[in-house]
Amino acid sequence: MRSTSFFAALLSAGLLAQAPFTLAKDNSLVFCSEGSPGGFDTAQYTSATDNDAAEPIYNRLVEFERGATGVKPALATRWEVSDDGLSYTFHLREGVKFHSNKGFTPSRTFNADDVLYTYQRMLDPNHPLRKAYPTEFPYFTSMSLDKNIASIEKLDANTVKFTLNSVDAAFIQNLAMSFASIISAEYATQLIASGKPSDLNQKPIGTGPFVFQRYQKDSQIRYRGNKDYWDPAQVQIDQLIFSINTDPSVRIQKLRKNECQVTLHPRPADLEALKADKTLQVIEKPGFNLGYIAYNTQHKPFDQLEVRQAMDMAVNKAAIVSTVFQHAGQSAANAMPPTQWSYDETIKDAAYDPDKARAMLRAAGVKEGTEITLWAMPVQRPYNPNAKLMAEMLQADWGKVGLKVKIVSYEWGEYLKRTKDGEHDTMLIGWTGDNGDPDNWLGTLYSCDAIGSNNYSMWCDKPYDDLVKKAKTVTDREQRSELYRQAQQRLKQRVPITPIAHSTVNQPLSAKVEGFKVSPFGRNNFSGVSVD
C-alpha cells in the first residue's frame, strides 16, 4: 500500500515525467529531437521538425532511398511516363493496411481512392476536407503543382493516372517528399462526419512502419512498431520515442547516459569530445544545406536594391562562419549548395566594406539610427547551429553602418507562421534540400509562387521566374543547368538574400544503433534501424 501511495505522490508532483524513457522496453529507441511539431499533417508543413515527426507514420507513392537521393517504389510498385512527358501512370501496391486507433478501424486496404483524396484535397478549394479543415499547402503551391496537375484519374482500384499541363522534370522527385504522404480517405471522411476534421493533424493515421500513439508538446511523441507493415524488414523496433529537448547540451547529456540513442545538431564545440567517446558514433556528411539572411522586399527600405546591396556588404561573413560554425561550415556565396548539380561556381560575394555600405544607405535615403527588426530562429538547424549568436553578430555589423537592430524571436512554429505572413524586416532562415533537384532551391525558395510559403524575402522578379519555370519544362540536364545558372546570376544581382554558410552535418548516436542512414535531406528515418 505504501509503495502505491508513494508512486501516486510522485506522479502527481510531476517527478516521473522522464519515466517513459528510463523504463522503456528493451527493444525501443529514443530519439532526442530538437523541437515540438505543429502537427502531423505533412501537407501543411515545411519544417524538418514537423516532417521528422510525421515520417514514421506515412508512406508516399514513391520514396527516397534511405541515405541517398535516388527514388524507389513505395505505395506504387511501378510507374510509366508517356512519350510527351505529360502523363504518369502509377500501379499501386495491393494489400497495404492503414493503421487504426481508438476511434477508427479501417474497413478496407489502401487503394486508388486514397491517392485521389490526398491530391484532390490540395488541388480543389471545394474539397470536403479542405472546407471542413481549411489549411495552406506551402510545398504543393510553391512548386506550382496546384497549377500544373491538370487531372488525376482512377483507372481502376489499383491504378491512377496523373496528367500535367506542362512537362515537369522534377515531378517524380517531388512526389517522394513529405507533403505527398498518402492519407486515408475513409478516416478523413469519418472525421468530417464526427465534426473533428482537425484530428487528422493531431491523431494521424497512415500506412507507415510506425503507428502513432500519443504526443505531449515540449515533452515526447510515442509510436509503436507496425506489426502489419507491408515491408516487415523495415520494422526492427517495438517502441519509437521522440524526446523533445530544445537545449543541445541536454540532448548530448541524455545521449551519453543512454537516455536516448540518437540525437541531432550538436554544438560545434562538443564534436571533439563526442568523437572521442567509445560508447558513441558520430556520422559526418557534407551538408546539403544553406543558412541565409532573407530581406523582406515588401518592407521599406528593403524594397530598394541599393539598400539590400549595402546590407549584404556590411555582413562580416568570415567572422560569422568562424565563430558560429567553427570547423563545421564553409562560407556560402550562392543561393544553393555546391553539391547541387547546376551550381554556378563563377558567382562571388561582394567584398566586405562597411564604409561603402554606410555611404550607400545614406544615398538611398536611410537615415542614421533607422530601426529595423532581425528575426532569429529559436532552434538549432543543420544550416545554423546558433541563430541567437549569429543575430547578435549581425546586430553589431549593421550597427556599424548606422542601423538600430532589434532582435525578435518566437517559438518555432509561430516564428515560421509569422515570417511567412511577412511580419519581419530581415530574418535568419535556411534550407536543407528535399529532393536533389535544383528547382527545390531556386523554385521552392525564391519564386513568385513561393511567396507566403518558403519565399521569406517576399521577392517576385519576372525575369528570374521565367528562367526557373522554363527550366522545369526541359528534360535535358545540361539545358536545364544553363537556365538555372542564369537564374542564379539574376538572383545574386538582385540580392533578396545574403547566403551565409553551408554546414557539415554531424549526427551523434549510440554505438549500439545499427542501420541508421544520414539523409542528405536532413530527415531522420527509423525504418530498418535497430538497437543492439
Side-chain angles (χ1 to χ4, degrees):
M1 185 70 179
R2 179 183 176 277
S3 61
T4 304
S5 301
F6 181 64
F7 180 88
L10 287 175
L11 188 63
S12 65
L15 297 179
L16 291 182
Q18 297 305 315
F21 309 122
T22 57
L23 300 179
K25 293 181 180 179
D26 288 341
N27 192 22
S28 66
L29 185 146
V30 180
F31 169 53
C32 278
S33 65
E34 89 292 7
S36 296
F40 301 87
D41 176 15
T42 60
Q44 61 175 297
Y45 298 112
T46 61
S47 156
T49 302
D50 301 305
N51 289 328
D52 268 358
E55 182 68 20
I57 302 166
Y58 295 106
N59 290 122
R60 295 161 286 283
L61 292 176
V62 295
E63 294 177 358
F64 293 109
E65 297 169 354
R66 289 197 307 124
T69 59
V71 172
K72 64 178 183 179
L75 290 180
T77 58
R78 58 189 174 90
W79 58 92
E80 296 102 34
V81 185
S82 62
D83 291 340
D84 62 7
L86 294 177
S87 296
Y88 291 73
T89 302
F90 293 90
H91 302 272
L92 307 182
R93 191 176 300 276
E94 297 183 37
V96 175
K97 296 180 180 180
F98 277 102
H99 306 159
S100 59
N101 60 25
K102 290 181 179 179
F104 173 73
T105 301
S107 66
R108 60 169 177 80
T109 56
F110 157 77
N111 65 28
D113 292 333
D114 302 300
V115 179
L116 264 64
Y117 197 94
T118 297
Y119 283 92
Q120 290 292 359
R121 171 207 180 188
M122 294 186 280
L123 284 168
D124 181 7
N126 294 313
H127 189 272
L129 180 56
R130 193 154 165 184
K131 294 185 79 172
Y133 178 46
T135 186
E136 301 298 321
F137 307 103
Y139 266 130
F140 194 71
T141 55
S142 66
M143 293 186 293
S144 302
L145 290 172
D146 58 326
K147 297 182 177 68
N148 199 32
I149 296 178
S151 65
I152 306 176
E153 304 170 68
K154 174 183 175 181
L155 302 185
D156 60 43
N158 297 300
T159 315
V160 294
K161 179 181 177 182
F162 287 71
T163 302
L164 308 182
N165 288 314
S166 60
V167 173
D168 181 351
F171 187 66
I172 289 292
Q173 299 285 119
N174 291 341
L175 296 196
M177 293 166 59
S178 294
F179 79 89
S181 297
I182 302 300
I183 62 175
S184 164
E186 187 180 17
Y187 181 51
T189 301
Q190 177 179 305
L191 291 178
I192 294 170
S194 64
K196 299 178 180 179
S198 64
D199 276 2
L200 185 83
N201 194 32
Q202 299 301 325
K203 298 177 181 179
I205 291 288
T207 59
F210 295 93
V211 179
F212 174 83
Q213 291 183 291
R214 62 181 181 273
Y215 169 38
Q216 183 179 352
K217 188 175 181 181
D218 301 326
S219 177
Q220 61 172 286
I221 314 169
R222 299 184 72 97
Y223 316 79
R224 62 173 170 81
N226 181 4
K227 298 185 186 302
D228 294 321
Y229 192 50
W230 53 268
D231 186 0
Q234 299 305 311
V235 186
Q236 301 291 325
I237 304 165
D238 291 335
Q239 293 287 329
L240 174 63
I241 304 163
F242 279 33
S243 172
I244 300 166
N245 305 272
T246 57
D247 187 333
S249 62
V250 172
R251 295 198 296 268
I252 294 304
Q253 288 172 14
K254 285 177 173 283
L255 182 67
R256 285 183 166 142
K257 293 177 181 178
N258 199 37
E259 292 179 14
C260 64
Q261 289 74 49
V262 180
T263 188
L264 72 178
H265 311 328
R267 298 177 303 185
D270 291 334
L271 284 173
E272 186 176 346
L274 289 171
K275 291 177 180 179
D277 191 330
K278 300 300 183 185
T279 67
L280 305 177
Q281 52 182 315
V282 179
I283 304 174
E284 183 176 299
K285 293 262 188 173
F288 191 53
N289 59 45
L290 170 69
Y292 62 94
I293 306 164
Y295 305 106
N296 188 341
T297 60
Q298 295 184 9
H299 278 199
K300 293 184 179 298
F302 310 103
D303 56 339
Q304 298 180 63
L305 173 60
E306 295 78 11
V307 171
R308 302 195 300 273
Q309 290 173 326
M311 301 280 284
D312 179 81
M313 69 175 61
V315 175
N316 190 344
K317 192 179 296 185
I320 289 174
V321 173
S322 174
T323 304
V324 176
F325 292 85
Q326 298 181 33
H327 303 295
Q330 65 183 95
S331 182
N334 204 340
M336 60 186 190
T339 48
Q340 173 64 65
W341 64 266
S342 81
Y343 180 88
D344 190 342
E345 296 181 354
T346 69
I347 288 178
K348 306 296 179 186
D349 275 333
Y352 170 58
D353 193 338
D355 293 334
K356 183 178 179 181
R358 177 185 285 270
M360 288 178 67
L361 287 173
R362 298 299 93 80
V366 180
K367 297 179 180 178
E368 186 87 16
T370 295
E371 295 186 5
I372 67 169
T373 60
L374 169 61
W375 290 43
M377 301 178 301
V379 295
Q380 274 188 301
R381 305 303 311 146
Y383 49 75
N384 192 332
N386 193 333
K388 182 176 183 292
L389 176 58
M390 187 184 292
E392 291 167 350
M393 295 182 74
L394 287 170
Q395 186 181 47
D397 285 344
W398 289 338
K400 292 174 184 174
V401 296
L403 297 173
K404 188 175 180 180
V405 181
K406 178 184 177 183
I407 298 174
V408 176
S409 192
Y410 288 93
E411 179 271 330
W412 185 223
E414 189 70 11
Y415 182 90
L416 292 173
K417 179 180 181 298
R418 287 173 176 265
T419 50
K420 285 175 182 179
D421 289 341
E423 294 184 21
H424 59 289
D425 289 334
T426 64
M427 69 174 292
L428 296 179
I429 194 64
W431 194 254
T432 297
D434 285 306
N435 63 17
D437 193 272
D439 182 71
N440 186 242
W441 298 90
L442 302 178
T444 300
L445 300 184
Y446 316 116
S447 69
C448 299
D449 287 340
I451 292 175
S453 56
N454 299 308
N455 184 344
Y456 295 97
S457 298
M458 309 291 165
W459 179 66
C460 183
D461 181 80
K462 189 176 187 304
Y464 172 87
D465 228 47
D466 289 345
L467 287 166
V468 171
K469 286 181 176 176
K470 184 177 180 181
K472 282 189 70 176
T473 67
V474 175
T475 55
D476 180 80
R477 178 173 284 201
E478 187 45 49
Q479 291 179 32
R480 289 188 78 201
S481 293
E482 176 54 33
L483 291 167
Y484 284 133
R485 283 191 285 267
Q486 293 177 39
Q488 290 166 66
Q489 292 283 349
R490 177 72 181 177
L491 189 145
K492 188 67 174 178
Q493 292 162 9
R494 304 306 295 178
V495 202
I497 69 165
T498 291
I500 298 293
H502 312 290
S503 72
T504 302
V505 173
N506 289 278
Q507 185 104 36
L509 57 159
S510 167
K512 298 178 180 180
V513 173
E514 298 176 353
F516 186 88
K517 305 285 187 182
V518 174
S519 164
F521 309 130
R523 297 290 181 262
N524 289 281
N525 186 318
F526 296 97
S527 296
V529 177
S530 62
V531 181
D532 183 6

